[in-house]
Amino acid sequence: MNKFNEYAVLDLGSNSFHMVIARCIDGATQIIYKNKKNIHLATGLNDKNELSESSISRGVECLALFAERLNGFPVENVRIVATHTLRIAKNRQKFLTAAAKVLPYPVEIISGQEEARLIYLGAMSSESTSEYDTKFVIDIGGGSTEIAIGKGNDLKPSIVASRPMGCVTYTKQFFPDKIIDKTSFQRAKLAATQQIENIINTIKKQNISVAFGTSGTIKSIYKILLDIGVSDGIITPKRLDDLVSYVLEFKSFQDIDFPSLSDERKKVFVSGLAIFSGIFDALELQALHYCPFALREGVLYELIDGPNYRDIRETTAESLSQHYNIDERHAKQIVKTSKHLFSQWKKQALMTIPTNVEAILYWAAQLHEVGLKINFSSIHKHSSYILQNSNLPGFNEEQQLLLSTLVRYHRKSINIDDLPYFSLFEYKHIVSLLQILRLSILINNQRNNDLNVEAFRLKLIKDKLTHIILEVDQQFIENNKLILLDLEQEQKYWKSVNDWHLSIETF
């Protein structure tokens, strides 16, 4: 039986939804299908950041169309990422629930920094640059703008930033009537400059040697330059200033008359140009090249080369461990314990936890003490806060939330009602991972790096996944009497949670 060799990536942006399908043959990737629908999801956001019914309907109808082309695709060959608008929409669950009814694949909402990382990966995996270059990439989307900077041949950027400004949202804010006037343009340009004000000097110090722009706005600027006779399409300060002057001569968005500018792009081009102009001028860029590869290609790159995706998260975890001076031996011992207990749980459970979810258990075991630098008291809260609010390359928004949630409840009392809602993970999976994490950390309370994990056996009571029997070697207990007190306290914590039960036995 031949391995399924087609891969699909869907990008649910603030302005448009994209689908790209690639085929992998003998290590070579060929794009075989592309589709784009202008949804203008961001226009459906009200003052409370709630999506309108009509915008949800437009998005779901588009996904239903995409679903037809994806019929027969294995779930591991499809990745769907959602960006700014679904990041900030208060009622995004309504959209995700409706999407799940027409599209049988999980929708991942990614952070702005993760989006910037993937854009850089997509652009730099396809552009030819020197190993000595410092590379700058900018993507102006419908709701947010991402910036990434990296050095040499490394596909991982050293600086990533995301700012809540996009061609759809800035059109609503500065050009509500689609009228072009110099004052509104300057206000939009200044607002864009203010958004990056605190990183301008940091970026300038990088000594950028080559700059790339992706997305519809920069593609339009590039094509208009070609329209007016600029043969290489490179954006320079003089060319950009001239283009802005040309555009400001028109009275309204629909009046803009360049052969390559579609009626659809006219609706958001002026605001996108203002954002780009503000950033270009503020960073004193001298030349910028259009790059046709961005977020979708970055996601596709990782999807096809799966092991790299996991490696990025491992690198992230190791980097955090080093940054917060985590006791590496102790962390490894807890990871080892959690793997030991999980393997026993797995043999007895009547359900399967996906390996990518299981992996988050081990990262939680590795990183649960990142907050120790602040204070041991309430370490679970400190660690959770750090993990929730750090830039974690490779983790989507829900994976990061699950990681911080497991760490938040790794000790002390558990208010199960406070667990956040997850659309990508099942509640019963989260509960089992949390129980295993708590026991793994507790077993290692004495910080004995020579702990024999075989002294512990985990058993499940049939049909009761949350009822666990922990068998402990009698000799181990005699040599580690404090553990019984810890386990008795843990039993009390479990007893306060509905349908949780922990029994302690010896062998």
Side-chain angles (χ1 to χ4, degrees):
M1 183 177 160
N2 291 332
K3 183 174 180 281
F4 195 89
N5 70 342
E6 290 186 10
Y7 297 83
V9 168
L10 277 66
D11 163 14
L12 313 187
S14 300
N15 189 41
S16 49
F17 285 10
H18 295 257
M19 177 165 69
V20 59
I21 296 176
R23 181 167 48 208
C24 196
I25 300 175
D26 298 328
T29 301
Q30 304 169 336
I31 302 294
I32 59 172
Y33 180 82
K34 282 186 176 183
N35 201 331
K36 172 193 173 186
K37 299 290 180 190
N38 292 302
I39 306 300
H40 303 299
L41 200 63
T43 61
L45 285 171
N46 64 17
D47 294 341
K48 297 177 182 176
N49 281 339
E50 294 167 331
L51 283 169
S52 65
E53 292 290 344
S54 59
S55 62
I56 291 174
S57 295
R58 289 196 304 273
V60 173
E61 283 169 18
C62 173
L63 295 183
L65 282 174
F66 286 176
E68 292 177 14
R69 179 62 180 82
L70 295 176
N71 188 28
F73 273 67
V75 68
E76 62 270 18
N77 285 47
V78 178
R79 195 164 173 216
I80 305 170
V81 294
T83 56
H84 179 76
T85 296
L86 285 172
R87 270 201 294 272
I88 66 168
K90 296 282 174 58
N91 62 338
R92 67 184 182 188
Q93 197 49 51
K94 197 169 187 178
F95 175 90
L96 294 173
T97 301
K101 290 176 182 174
V102 300
L103 192 63
Y105 303 99
V107 175
E108 302 177 48
I109 296 171
I110 56 174
S111 70
Q113 289 121 324
E114 178 66 357
E115 186 180 352
R117 181 188 73 82
L118 288 165
I119 288 165
Y120 185 87
L121 174 62
M124 291 303 98
S125 61
S126 54
E127 290 287 350
S128 178
T129 56
S130 160
E131 61 179 299
Y132 305 108
D133 277 329
T134 297
K135 297 168 286 191
F136 171 91
V137 177
I138 180 171
D139 184 299
I140 299 169
S144 64
T145 293
E146 279 66 46
I147 289 170
I149 299 168
K151 295 182 186 294
N153 295 325
D154 193 349
L155 292 177
K156 293 194 286 289
S158 52
I159 294 174
V160 290
S162 176
R163 294 293 184 266
M165 53 181 175
C167 57
V168 176
T169 51
Y170 266 39
T171 297
K172 279 175 71 177
Q173 187 176 348
F174 296 102
F175 306 95
D177 300 318
K178 308 288 196 297
I179 302 300
I180 299 173
D181 68 90
K182 193 171 183 178
T183 302
S184 297
F185 189 89
Q186 289 301 329
R187 283 177 57 230
K189 182 177 173 179
L190 181 61
T193 307
Q194 285 176 318
Q195 283 286 349
I196 63 160
E197 189 174 16
N198 63 343
I199 57 171
I200 289 173
N201 288 335
T202 302
I203 292 174
K204 282 183 178 179
K205 285 176 185 173
Q206 303 305 307
N207 296 320
I208 295 160
S209 55
V210 58
F212 297 94
T214 71
S215 77
T217 290
I218 294 163
K219 180 181 181 180
S220 296
I221 294 171
Y222 163 76
K223 284 194 166 184
I224 290 170
L225 289 178
L226 297 181
D227 288 344
I228 59 179
V230 176
S231 59
D232 58 15
I234 296 171
I235 303 168
T236 65
K238 171 77 166 59
R239 292 169 180 178
L240 183 60
D241 286 346
D242 288 347
L243 176 58
V244 169
S245 297
Y246 293 151
V247 169
L248 289 177
E249 287 177 11
F250 295 102
K251 300 295 182 190
S252 73
F253 283 22
Q254 282 306 312
D255 291 341
I256 303 173
D257 187 22
F258 293 110
S260 65
L261 196 66
S262 68
D263 287 342
E264 192 62 44
R265 179 51 59 176
K266 285 179 184 179
K267 296 175 183 176
V268 293
F269 176 69
V270 177
S271 54
L273 179 63
I275 293 168
F276 179 74
S277 179
I279 294 171
F280 193 94
D281 289 356
L283 298 180
E284 298 175 0
L285 297 174
Q286 295 308 303
L288 184 136
H289 306 257
Y290 167 63
C291 173
F293 306 102
L295 176 63
R296 292 176 290 287
E297 288 75 21
V299 176
L300 191 62
Y301 183 94
E302 289 191 335
L303 180 64
I304 293 173
D305 194 10
N308 274 356
Y309 179 53
R310 288 188 290 277
D311 288 346
I312 287 162
R313 292 184 292 178
E314 284 165 13
T315 303
T316 296
E318 286 164 11
S319 175
L320 270 177
S321 295
Q322 291 166 10
H323 182 76
Y324 288 98
N325 297 324
I326 283 174
D327 182 340
E328 194 176 330
R329 285 182 65 193
H330 181 57
K332 282 183 177 175
Q333 184 61 46
I334 294 173
V335 172
K336 181 181 176 182
T337 307
S338 61
K339 286 181 176 179
H340 171 70
L341 295 182
F342 184 82
S343 68
Q344 296 175 71
W345 178 94
K346 194 175 180 180
K347 288 172 187 171
Q348 302 168 69
L350 298 174
M351 68 176 182
T352 304
I353 292 182
T355 52
N356 66 327
V357 183
E358 177 191 343
I360 296 176
L361 165 66
Y362 307 136
W363 285 313
Q366 182 181 348
L367 298 170
H368 75 283
E369 286 193 334
V370 292
L372 192 58
K373 255 188 169 182
I374 301 172
N375 201 325
F376 178 74
S377 177
S378 297
I379 182 176
H380 49 305
K381 296 177 183 176
H382 301 321
S383 295
S384 176
Y385 179 84
I386 289 169
L387 292 172
Q388 182 56 34
N389 292 282
S390 296
N391 173 28
L392 303 187
F395 288 82
N396 66 42
E397 193 177 86
E398 281 213 359
Q399 288 168 341
Q400 185 165 353
L401 180 59
L402 177 57
L403 177 64
S404 70
T405 299
L406 290 175
V407 169
R408 169 65 180 82
Y409 295 105
H410 82 257
R411 67 194 286 267
K412 300 284 188 181
S413 59
I414 315 140
N415 185 351
I416 213 74
D417 293 332
D418 285 347
L419 286 182
Y421 176 84
F422 293 92
S423 62
L424 297 181
F425 310 115
E426 292 189 47
Y427 174 79
K428 59 186 178 181
H429 293 172
I430 295 168
V431 167
S432 292
L433 294 181
L434 180 56
Q435 289 183 331
I436 291 168
L437 179 66
R438 287 179 68 93
L439 290 175
S440 302
I441 293 171
L442 182 146
I443 286 167
N444 287 279
N445 262 358
Q446 305 307 311
R447 305 182 88 86
N448 177 5
N449 292 317
D450 299 320
L451 178 84
N452 178 17
V453 294
E454 299 299 331
F456 299 89
R457 297 177 187 163
L458 184 146
K459 288 191 175 178
L460 296 178
I461 295 173
K462 195 176 180 183
D463 300 329
K464 285 283 187 182
L465 278 174
T466 55
H467 289 214
I468 287 177
I469 299 169
L470 186 67
E471 295 183 343
V472 189
D473 180 79
Q474 182 65 46
Q475 188 64 47
F476 180 88
I477 285 181
E478 287 174 12
N479 296 332
N480 301 272
K481 291 187 171 63
L482 274 175
I483 196 163
L484 265 184
L485 293 174
D486 290 339
L487 286 168
E488 285 166 7
Q489 178 58 55
E490 185 68 3
Q491 283 179 305
K492 291 176 186 174
Y493 287 137
W494 286 42
K495 199 172 182 180
S496 68
V497 182
N498 184 39
D499 209 31
W500 281 35
H501 186 76
L502 176 64
S503 298
I504 311 298
E505 296 179 5
T506 58
F507 65 93

